[in-house]
Amino acid sequence: WGEAVTENEVTYYVADDGTTSAEIIGDGITWLKEESGGTSAWYGIDNKDGVFEKGSRFWVRWLNKIEDPEEWQKYYNQMDEDKKTKSSENLWIFFVGVTDRNGNKYTDFGGMEIPLYVQLGNDWTEENVNAFFISEGQDEPVGVEFIDNMDFPAGSGEFAELSLKHFSPYAVYEETNAGNNYFWLIFAAGTLLLAGGLIFILRKKAANKV
């Protein structure tokens, strides 16, 4: 799983390909901090219902549009055409999933909804945070809640809480108004078939703000 890093009393691991992971040791929230390209963000997955076996790995890996152009484009192409026309150039794609101790990747949660927490930048507003499941034909809405003062290992901050029913393609986006022009910051997700995880497109906050 890579090199061990301990920060704010949380130990996580960074592999050579940038995958950041943390061991699920209980039924609460497992946290990790992902850093790449001079930016960083905290992520948490809530195992309050005991869906994930203790000793499993919660992991995140970002794709860089410049360093990983082919893979980035592959998942960008999965976005609906109307979402592409509304998106800004500020797009980030990342994979997230859970792997058990035997190397098996979780794909569904037995009908449960699993809370996933994603740290947002300070410029997000509650009414503009949205999420949906990306599928061929019609997008499926996903429950999302904006939390403006959530406690996490490094303090407190703004987070999006997504209610996930499975590790499948998702998107989180913020609709903003710049002057008279609307533009969308899209966070899209596609299933990583071989890794069995989530993919999101997300704008991370600057590392020096965390």
Side-chain angles (χ1 to χ4, degrees):
W1 289 97
E3 179 183 359
V5 178
T6 299
E7 183 173 344
N8 298 108
E9 300 184 351
V10 172
T11 298
Y12 53 89
Y13 302 82
V14 182
D16 291 340
D17 67 353
T19 299
T20 304
S21 65
E23 183 179 359
I24 295 176
I25 59 176
D27 297 332
I29 300 176
T30 297
W31 292 99
L32 61 80
K33 180 183 178 182
E34 196 278 342
E35 297 184 80
S36 60
T39 61
S40 66
W42 284 85
Y43 306 86
I45 195 163
D46 197 338
N47 196 35
K48 63 182 179 180
D49 294 315
V51 172
F52 306 120
E53 179 184 13
K54 295 179 182 179
S56 297
R57 292 279 180 160
F58 166 49
W59 53 267
V60 175
R61 180 170 75 90
W62 278 80
L63 291 181
N64 187 292
K65 187 176 182 179
I66 297 176
E67 297 176 0
D68 310 290
E70 293 184 2
E71 195 170 10
W72 190 94
Q73 190 66 41
K74 173 183 176 181
Y75 293 102
Y76 174 80
N77 289 343
Q78 295 182 18
M79 294 172 57
D80 291 345
E81 290 301 321
D82 66 321
K83 301 298 189 303
K84 293 178 185 178
T85 59
K86 295 174 181 177
S87 66
S88 73
E89 294 182 357
N90 192 12
L91 299 178
W92 294 84
I93 302 174
F94 71 88
F95 308 134
V96 56
V98 176
T99 303
D100 69 19
R101 292 181 294 180
N102 296 319
N104 301 311
K105 301 169 181 63
Y106 287 89
T107 56
D108 63 70
F109 315 135
M112 301 269 188
E113 291 190 358
I114 302 297
L116 175 72
Y117 301 97
V118 182
Q119 187 179 20
L120 303 175
N122 295 328
D123 56 341
W124 282 68
T125 55
E126 180 175 359
E127 61 271 17
N128 292 333
V129 179
N130 297 273
F132 58 86
F133 165 74
I134 300 174
S135 62
E136 295 184 7
Q138 185 176 2
D139 294 328
E140 170 191 332
V142 172
V144 60
E145 179 181 351
F146 177 85
I147 305 175
D148 63 359
N149 192 25
M150 181 175 183
D151 292 333
F152 69 105
S156 63
E158 297 177 347
F159 280 80
E161 176 186 343
L162 277 66
S163 298
L164 305 184
K165 298 179 180 179
H166 38 64
F167 283 137
S168 293
Y170 288 89
V172 181
Y173 64 91
E174 180 183 20
E175 182 180 9
T176 60
N177 185 356
N180 294 323
N181 297 319
Y182 284 94
F183 62 94
W184 297 64
L185 301 179
I186 306 293
F187 303 85
T191 304
L192 180 60
L193 298 178
L194 296 180
L198 272 179
I199 302 168
F200 291 85
I201 297 178
L202 178 65
R203 179 165 55 86
K204 298 191 292 182
K205 65 189 299 182
N208 60 7
K209 294 182 181 179
V210 176

